[in-house]
Amino acid sequence: MRVTIAEVARRARVSKATVSRVLNNKGDVDASTAIRVREVIAATGYTPSARAVGLAKGRTETVGMLVPGLTWPWMGDVLQGVADVLEARGYGLLLNTMNRGADSLTQFARHVSANAFDGLLLIEPPNSVEYITTLHKSGLPVVMIDDRGHHRGFASVATSNREGAADGARHLLASGRRHFVVVTGPAEFGCTRDRTAGFTDVLSAAGMESVVVEGDFTRDGGRAAIRPLISSGAALDAVFAQNDLMAVGVLDALREAGRAVPDDVAVVGFDDIAIAAHTQPSLTTVRQPSREMGEAAARMLLSHLDGTPLPPDPQIVPTALVVRESG
C-alpha cells in the first residue's frame, strides 16, 4: 500500500504542509523538525506523486498534446520533434488523441480539470476548436501546429505551404510540362487552400491553367481522383498531388493505365514521408519539415511558460523541393 503524505505527517507529528515544505527544501522549518520528517520519509519509503510535486511548484512540468490520431504519416516526426525538446528540458508529454470523437474529448477535458499539464500543443482535431478556444481564453497556453484552418487567436507553427506548392509548379514548368492536374486535399483545410493557390498562381503568371480535382489525402483518394481524367483521354502531362499518399495513388492509376512516369506524366507530391523515396519511380515532392515544426512548437510553448509572450504571428518553418525520378 502506497505511503501517503498524511501518514508521514502523522508519524512525524507535523502537518502535511510542513512535510511539503521539507520536501521542497523551504527554509522556514526548524532543523530538528526537518530531520524528524526526513527520518520518517526514509523509514517509510515515501515518494511524492508527480501531481503533488507539481502543485508544490505551481506547475506540473508536463505539456499536453491533442491530435486527431496517430495514423497520419508525418505525425511520428512531429511527435519526435516535440519529445526531443521536452525531454531535454525535463518535461513530460501527456498525449491525447481524438480517435473516439466526443468520448476522447471528454477524457481530455478530465485532464484539463485536473490541471494535469501546463500548456497545450495542438494539431487541430475535428470539432474541437470552440472548446480549445474557451480553454485558451480562460488562461491555458496553446500553440497550434500545422494550422489547417487558419484560426486567429492562437500562436502557431506552420510551414510554407503556398511557397512549397509554387516551387513544385515552377519545377514542372521548367521541365516543359504544359497540361496540369492538381489533386487537392479536403477544401476546408487551410493547407489545401494555400497549396492550391501557390501552384495555380505560378501557372497563371505563366499563362497556363490547370484542372483541379478534390481528393482526401489518402492513397485511394488520389487514385480515385485521377482515374476519370485518365479514362476520358484528357490531355495531362503533369500532376501535383497535395500530399504524398495521394501522389502514390496517382502513380498507381497511371501505372494501371499504361502511362509512363515521368516520360508521359510527371508527378509531384507534398510532405516527403518515408515512402516517397521508395516508390517506383521515386517521388519528387515538397518536403514538409514535420520534425522541425514539432521542435519549434515545443520551444515556443516552453519559452512562454518561462515568461515570454506567445507571438501573434505564425512561425513559419520553410519547405524544400526534393527532386527524384517521378518528375
Side-chain angles (χ1 to χ4, degrees), residues 182-195:
V182 179
V183 183
T184 76
E188 66 269 22
F189 289 175
C191 63
T192 294
R193 298 191 292 273
D194 285 347
R195 292 173 192 179

Side-chain angles (χ1 to χ4, degrees), residues 133 136-137 140 142 144 147 150-156 310-312:
T133 299
H136 185 49
K137 288 181 177 178
L140 179 69
V142 177
M144 184 175 283
D147 182 6
H150 290 190
H151 298 291
R152 296 180 180 178
F154 291 110
S156 65
L310 289 170

Side-chain angles (χ1 to χ4, degrees), residues 138-325:
S138 71
L140 179 69
V142 177
V143 175
M144 184 175 283
I145 303 171
D146 185 42
D147 182 6
R148 295 156 55 202
H150 290 190
H151 298 291
R152 296 180 180 178
F154 291 110
S156 65
V157 173
T159 192
S160 51
N161 284 298
R162 190 175 188 126
E163 185 58 29
D167 286 341
R170 285 189 283 264
H171 173 73
L172 290 170
L173 282 170
S175 66
R177 308 295 168 161
R178 294 297 179 264
H179 303 287
F180 302 90
V181 175
V182 179
V183 183
T184 76
E188 66 269 22
F189 289 175
C191 63
T192 294
R193 298 191 292 273
D194 285 347
R195 292 173 192 179
T196 301
F199 193 89
T200 57
D201 284 354
V202 168
L203 294 189
S204 296
M208 300 284 182
E209 296 182 349
S210 62
V211 176
V212 178
V213 294
E214 185 171 337
D216 61 2
F217 284 148
T218 69
R219 183 172 184 167
D220 287 344
R223 187 186 298 115
I226 200 68
R227 270 177 173 166
L229 288 172
I230 297 173
S231 299
S232 72
L236 66 127
D237 62 6
V239 179
F240 171 51
Q242 291 186 351
N243 80 340
D244 288 346
L245 284 182
M246 291 194 302
V248 174
V250 169
L251 292 177
D252 293 339
L254 290 170
R255 186 180 304 108
E256 292 165 2
R259 306 289 292 275
V261 177
D263 294 344
D264 298 330
V265 182
V267 178
V268 172
F270 203 112
D271 283 340
D272 197 27
I273 60 176
I275 195 176
H278 303 289
T279 56
Q280 293 297 324
S282 58
L283 185 64
T284 293
T285 186
V286 179
R287 180 179 180 270
Q288 178 169 229
S290 303
R291 185 163 181 161
E292 292 91 332
M293 291 166 68
E295 292 171 347
R299 284 195 297 267
M300 182 185 293
L301 184 57
L302 292 184
S303 180
H304 175 68
L305 295 176
D306 288 339
T308 302
L310 289 170
D313 298 319
Q315 179 178 339
I316 303 299
V317 185
T319 56
L321 182 67
V322 180
V323 178
R324 298 192 179 99
E325 298 170 345

Side-chain angles (χ1 to χ4, degrees), residues 56-122:
K57 293 181 176 179
R59 63 170 61 178
T60 66
E61 296 190 343
T62 298
V63 166
M65 188 165 184
L66 183 63
V67 303
L70 301 179
T71 58
W72 293 7
W74 49 267
M75 186 67 73
D77 286 339
V78 174
L79 290 175
Q80 190 62 61
V82 168
D84 287 347
V85 172
L86 295 184
E87 289 175 10
R89 283 284 306 275
Y91 273 71
L93 175 65
L94 180 60
L95 178 63
N96 297 261
T97 70
M98 287 286 289
N99 291 322
R100 296 179 294 113
D103 289 342
S104 296
L105 196 59
T106 298
Q107 181 175 334
F108 171 72
R110 286 198 291 269
H111 292 150
V112 173
S113 299
N115 296 314
F117 48 82
D118 301 322
L120 179 66
L121 298 173
L122 177 69

